[in-house]
Amino acid sequence: MEHEAFRLIGTPRFGGILVVSDHASNRVPADIDLGIAPEILTQHVAIDIGVGPIGAAMAQRPGVAAFQGNVSRLVCDFNRDEHLPTVVPIASDGHAIPGNALDHAGHVARLARFFRPYHDALAATIEAAPPALILSLHSFTPQLATSDEPRPWHVGVLYNQDDRAARIAIPLLEAEGLIVGDQQPYSGRLLNATMNRHAEADGRPYLGIEIRQDLIDHAEGQAEWAERLWRIANRVAIAIGE
């Protein structure tokens, strides 16, 4: 299923795994001019590099479906609270986005066109086939643009108040020889809007995963992580259900 704001890959199953990636696409609709250089759309500021292919690969497995954002986060950032101006950012990571300097009517229209259909469809998908686990999948840059220090973590596990899945997943990831950031490189208590809305609000188990982009910016890494996350997500879902 594909909509302007989202795409659903695979068939959601009751008691299965739903992989949610808010920032899986860098698509900008033809009728929207962000006023930015084209190369910006290949950077993290526009897309979570690698997560779209990982979710799509996981959705080839029985019991797994992937729900993905279908426009760039610069068009509409789905992982924000609706009332925040950053839903339609006028600047991001030092880049001005002049095409997003909208009046009130334009801002409301952008929400109605993208943000609300995305979240309405995600809520309906979860309600129609409640998953045993929601896997929230993002990626992060190997280092900040403002720093020369590389980020040491291979993967981060993020959560807000509900850390059930995180506590199970962290040792499983560490057992794979990975450097795991517990609430690193940033905290899920600050950046968790989609999971707050669709998981924490209803007590649904979820696992927030952030993968370092240089590990998944190529097909081999994407395949490796799709297989790894499929194994770990299943173990987490089973453990939570016991």
Side-chain angles (χ1 to χ4, degrees):
M1 177 195 302
E2 184 155 347
H3 179 276
E4 187 175 38
F6 64 88
R7 56 179 176 257
L8 178 63
I9 306 169
T11 303
R13 303 287 188 194
F14 178 86
I17 294 168
L18 182 65
V19 185
V20 177
S21 297
D22 301 312
H23 304 143
S25 175
N26 63 354
R27 190 178 70 86
V28 178
D31 63 331
I32 293 178
D33 181 7
L34 296 176
I36 60 176
E39 58 267 21
I40 292 176
L41 292 174
T42 66
Q43 301 173 15
H44 179 70
V45 67
I47 182 174
D48 273 2
I49 293 165
V51 303
I54 291 174
M58 291 182 70
Q60 303 307 307
R61 306 267 187 169
V64 183
F67 188 95
Q68 302 183 343
N70 204 24
V71 291
S72 171
R73 68 203 303 176
L74 297 181
V75 173
C76 185
D77 193 334
F78 300 120
N79 192 32
R80 295 291 184 270
D81 293 316
E82 181 173 333
H83 66 278
L84 295 178
T86 49
V87 170
V88 184
I90 59 171
S92 185
D93 198 25
H95 299 283
I97 318 295
N100 284 347
L102 305 170
D103 59 16
H104 178 70
H107 183 84
V108 169
R110 190 76 64 88
L111 292 175
R113 181 175 172 183
F114 300 107
F115 189 89
R116 292 172 189 151
Y118 177 88
H119 285 286
D120 288 350
L122 178 54
T125 299
I126 293 169
E127 185 66 28
L133 181 71
I134 301 172
L135 174 62
S136 173
L137 185 57
H138 294 264
S139 64
F140 64 91
T141 56
Q143 66 185 55
L144 290 171
T146 55
S147 172
D148 293 329
E149 280 291 310
R151 286 166 156 172
W153 311 282
H154 298 114
V155 60
V157 178
L158 275 57
Y159 49 88
N160 190 355
Q161 299 301 315
D162 185 352
D163 66 349
R164 287 175 292 169
R167 294 291 145 237
I168 300 166
I170 289 172
L172 294 176
L173 289 162
E174 289 175 336
E176 307 254 325
L178 300 168
I179 300 173
V180 182
D182 183 348
Q183 294 284 50
Q184 299 286 353
Y186 26 74
S187 171
R189 293 197 170 90
L190 302 175
L191 293 170
N192 207 52
T194 295
M195 290 300 99
N196 287 344
R197 177 172 179 168
H198 296 285
E200 291 232 358
D202 298 318
R204 300 185 187 278
Y206 72 96
L207 177 60
I209 292 289
E210 296 259 355
I211 307 169
R212 204 175 68 204
Q213 287 172 357
D214 59 316
L215 303 176
I216 56 171
D217 62 1
H218 52 284
E220 182 180 353
Q222 292 159 7
E224 176 186 347
W225 275 92
E227 191 277 334
R228 173 180 287 133
L229 291 179
W230 176 76
R231 284 189 289 104
I232 289 175
N234 272 286
R235 292 183 65 181
V236 170
I238 290 168
I240 286 177
E242 289 177 343

